[in-house]
Amino acid sequence: MLRRWIQFYWERCGAHAVGLASSAFASDLIVQRLLGNTQVVLHAEILISMITIPLMGLAFRCSDELRDMDTDLQYFPDRPLAAGRISPREVKALALLAVAVSLVINIIWPYAPIPLFLGTGFLALIHSWYFMPRLISGNRFLAVTANLPFLFLLYLYVGEAAAFRSGYVQPGWIPAAVAVWMIIPLHTYEFARKVVAAGQEREGYQTYSAMIGPRPAAWLAFSTAIVHYLLALLWPPARLLYGSWIILLGAVLLFYFGVTVFFSLGQGHCFKNKKVQLFFNEGLGGTAGIYGVCSRVFSVLSAFMWF
């Protein structure tokens, strides 16, 4: 079972875990600075957040795989659960273990347990589709909205823990604001990776482009990147972060390039060349993913350069 768990984790969570851990690290430093610390304090306890966030992300991924198993059997048969490389019972056990370890760690070191416990409750609601499976599972916009409380509380936990370790019992709006800024790129990627051109939709598989059209869906994804960038411009030390600004601005421009190429390749046509078709179907999500990685790099760099 352990080997199957490791294989599942590597296939479905590996890269995301690195991104979640790095974003937890950056969130901690940014909250410290916004609260007024003039010197970076790398507490050993920051590892608690950097372990907890990927573990809860793993539990969320397990829940998502279980909820989407029927869909994956039809449209993504190579995924571990659909292909039979791991059983539903083993995925459930892995999710429960990840949540249990997260809660135990944060009971032993209770820096910000309330957001984490609330987030765990929302994860249970997400797994049950908020007891409205037909309504929520049948609408991607409702589904992504249902995930928001869990994601927000997860990053709020990181910010509140950073504030507590810095001696701020009531940090005000700062942890919540940083949490919002951190979860926006996740939705940029979520929207972008489920946009395909007219004529490339798969019957029965719901995408944002099928719901509102390819062009509005693509620009919806890009608009979240613009909002993210504009929020970053409000940061007080903006004039000091030239290197990291170049990274983030370059990522925005790359994403814009992805959107324009997405349409210029010939919307509505089926491509005989499989590589071109793959880029056409996956390129927009790929550039959104690169944007997300760059935003994390920006977060870490700006946090250090700020001090």
Side-chain angles (χ1 to χ4, degrees):
M1 180 186 292
L2 180 59
R3 185 170 64 181
R4 291 191 291 273
W5 277 354
I6 293 173
Q7 183 180 8
F8 173 84
Y9 182 83
W10 181 255
E11 288 187 42
R12 302 300 296 153
C13 307
H16 294 291
V18 174
L20 290 172
S22 64
S23 64
F25 178 75
S27 295
D28 189 290
L29 299 186
I30 293 168
V31 168
Q32 285 188 51
R33 188 60 183 89
L34 283 171
L35 288 171
N37 289 359
T38 57
Q39 292 184 341
V40 60
V41 180
L42 292 176
H43 300 278
E45 291 87 347
I46 194 175
L47 292 174
I48 297 172
S49 297
M50 294 178 66
I51 293 171
T52 299
I53 295 295
L55 282 175
M56 294 300 289
L58 170 60
F60 177 82
R61 171 52 56 196
C62 290
S63 172
D64 190 63
E65 295 286 314
L66 290 167
R67 285 178 290 131
D68 291 345
M69 186 166 61
D70 292 339
T71 301
D72 290 348
L73 284 170
Q74 182 174 357
Y75 299 104
F76 305 102
D78 293 333
R79 290 181 176 175
L81 190 56
R85 293 193 294 275
I86 190 170
S87 70
R89 179 177 296 181
E90 289 170 330
V91 175
K92 290 178 183 178
L94 181 58
L96 291 173
L97 178 63
V99 171
V101 172
S102 298
L103 295 181
V104 169
I105 290 174
N106 285 274
I107 289 172
I108 297 173
W109 292 281
Y111 296 115
I114 293 178
L116 182 64
F117 292 160
L118 289 175
T120 303
F122 273 102
L123 179 58
L125 288 174
I126 290 170
H127 186 69
S128 67
W129 294 110
Y130 287 78
F131 305 105
M132 297 179 288
R134 290 187 179 181
L135 176 64
I136 296 178
S137 65
N139 187 302
R140 285 212 177 273
F141 285 107
L142 289 179
V144 74
T145 302
N147 296 339
L148 275 174
F150 168 74
L151 296 172
F152 173 75
L153 287 165
L154 212 56
Y155 282 99
L156 181 64
Y157 150 78
V158 176
E160 294 280 0
F164 183 86
R165 291 195 301 269
S166 300
Y168 294 88
V169 179
Q170 294 181 331
W173 58 269
I174 290 173
V178 175
V180 169
W181 197 81
M182 283 292 178
I183 65 176
I184 290 176
L186 300 178
H187 291 81
T188 302
Y189 178 68
E190 162 65 21
F191 289 136
R193 73 189 182 95
K194 292 172 183 172
V195 176
V196 297
Q200 300 293 316
E201 300 281 3
R202 286 172 286 186
E203 185 178 354
Y205 183 70
Q206 190 180 75
T207 61
Y208 297 107
S209 50
M211 296 178 71
I212 62 175
R215 190 174 295 273
W219 287 116
L220 172 64
F222 183 66
S223 68
T224 62
I226 292 298
V227 169
H228 189 243
Y229 184 71
L230 292 177
L231 288 175
L233 290 176
L234 299 177
W235 287 18
R239 62 185 182 279
L240 303 177
L241 306 178
Y242 296 122
S244 51
W245 285 119
I246 292 174
I247 292 173
L248 192 60
L249 180 60
V252 172
L253 294 176
L254 177 64
F255 192 17
Y256 177 75
F257 171 76
V259 173
T260 56
V261 169
F262 177 80
F263 293 115
S264 67
L265 280 176
Q267 183 174 311
H269 292 79
C270 295
F271 299 104
K272 295 181 180 179
N273 187 306
K274 294 296 183 182
K275 292 183 179 179
V276 174
Q277 183 172 336
L278 178 64
F279 178 82
F280 187 78
N281 287 336
E282 304 294 340
L284 189 62
T287 51
I290 293 172
Y291 174 78
V293 171
C294 289
S295 73
R296 296 298 183 240
V297 173
F298 165 79
S299 300
V300 175
L301 283 178
S302 62
F304 273 112
M305 293 173 67
W306 201 344
F307 287 92

